[in-house]
């Protein structure tokens, strides 16, 4: 028989219309992203906390912690219906311990030649005085030759791709303009969406 449109009128034959209700179907949630260092290389083992809440609720509930893989990628998946729930991620409370010898980066020539780029103010300024001096080099170099890391211990700042694009292409001290944060929380995640971040670790090779 030739095909016919549903609910149409035809010169011959019979048609039947049936109402069908499908229940139990869900739109499962997924989300991905990367966490890079100041050279744009993925960082492994960065914890990303995952939360969910009913759209009618005002409070998120912790679901799980996902660690970035060898490429810095985090992958989130949930069987919860994305049309019923809202989702949130958080990067926070990172433990930055003393770098091992291979983690430290020598900046001797940069200080002697005063050839800094904007990223250096974040990754070299160990004593956090907004200046890059021989004191910073000493604190880092002491670790390179196997000495104990001197106080203060390394810290970190997290940046969005927009912030990093400016920092990575500039040569001035932008710490007061783009200060970064130690916690990033992103709510209302789009299903099958993605977001990337940059983690600057002071005193590390990056």
């Amino acid at each position: 028989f030739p095909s016919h449109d549903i609910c149409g009128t035809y010169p011959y034959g019979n048609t039947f219309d049936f109402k069908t209700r499908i229940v139990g179907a869900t739109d499962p949630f997924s989300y991905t992203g990367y966490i890079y260092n100041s050279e744009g290389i993925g960082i492994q083992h960065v914890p990303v906390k995952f939360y969910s809440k009913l759209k009618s609720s005002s409070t998120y509930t912790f679901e799980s912690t996902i660690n970035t893989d060898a490429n810095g990628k985090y992958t989130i998946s949930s069987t919860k219906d994305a049309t019923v729930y809202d989702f949130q991620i958080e990067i926070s409370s990172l433990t930055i311990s003393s770098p091992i010898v291979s983690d430290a980066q020598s900046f001797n020539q940069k200080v002697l030649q005063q050839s800094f780029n904007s990223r250096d103010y974040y990754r070299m300024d160990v004593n956090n005085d907004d200046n890059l001096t021989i004191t910073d080099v000493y604190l880092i170099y002491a670790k390179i030759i196997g000495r104990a890391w001197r106080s203060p211990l390394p810290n970190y700042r997290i940046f969005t791709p927009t912030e990093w694009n400016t920092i990575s292409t500039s040569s001035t001290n932008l710490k007061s303009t783009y200060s970064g944060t130690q916690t990033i929380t992103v709510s209302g995640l789009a299903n099958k969406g993605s977001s990337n971040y940059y983690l600057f670790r002071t005193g590390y090779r990056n």
Side-chain angles (χ1 to χ4, degrees), residues 103-177:
D103 283 333
Q105 172 69 63
S106 176
F107 294 106
N108 302 49
Q109 292 303 314
K110 280 183 173 289
V111 170
L112 293 174
Q113 297 171 5
Q114 297 291 294
S115 58
F116 308 132
N117 58 46
S118 295
R119 285 175 292 175
D120 292 328
Y121 289 92
Y122 297 92
R123 57 189 180 175
M124 288 174 60
D125 187 15
V126 176
N127 61 9
N128 201 34
D129 65 355
D130 288 332
N131 290 300
L132 303 184
T133 65
I134 197 67
T135 301
D136 297 302
V137 170
Y138 170 74
L139 291 170
I140 297 172
Y141 188 71
K143 188 59 187 179
I144 291 175
I145 62 175
R147 301 289 178 84
W149 186 267
R150 300 297 184 91
S151 181
L153 290 174
N155 57 25
Y156 68 92
R157 308 301 287 178
I158 304 171
F159 300 91
T160 66
T162 300
E163 293 169 331
W164 186 81
N165 287 338
T166 301
I167 292 168
S168 65
T169 57
S170 302
S171 58
T172 58
N173 185 356
L174 298 175
K175 288 178 70 177
S176 61
T177 304

Side-chain angles (χ1 to χ4, degrees), residues 3-18:
S3 61
H4 298 299
D5 294 330
I6 294 177
C7 300
T9 301
Y10 313 107
Y12 60 89
N14 298 305
T15 63
F16 299 90
D17 297 325
F18 297 95

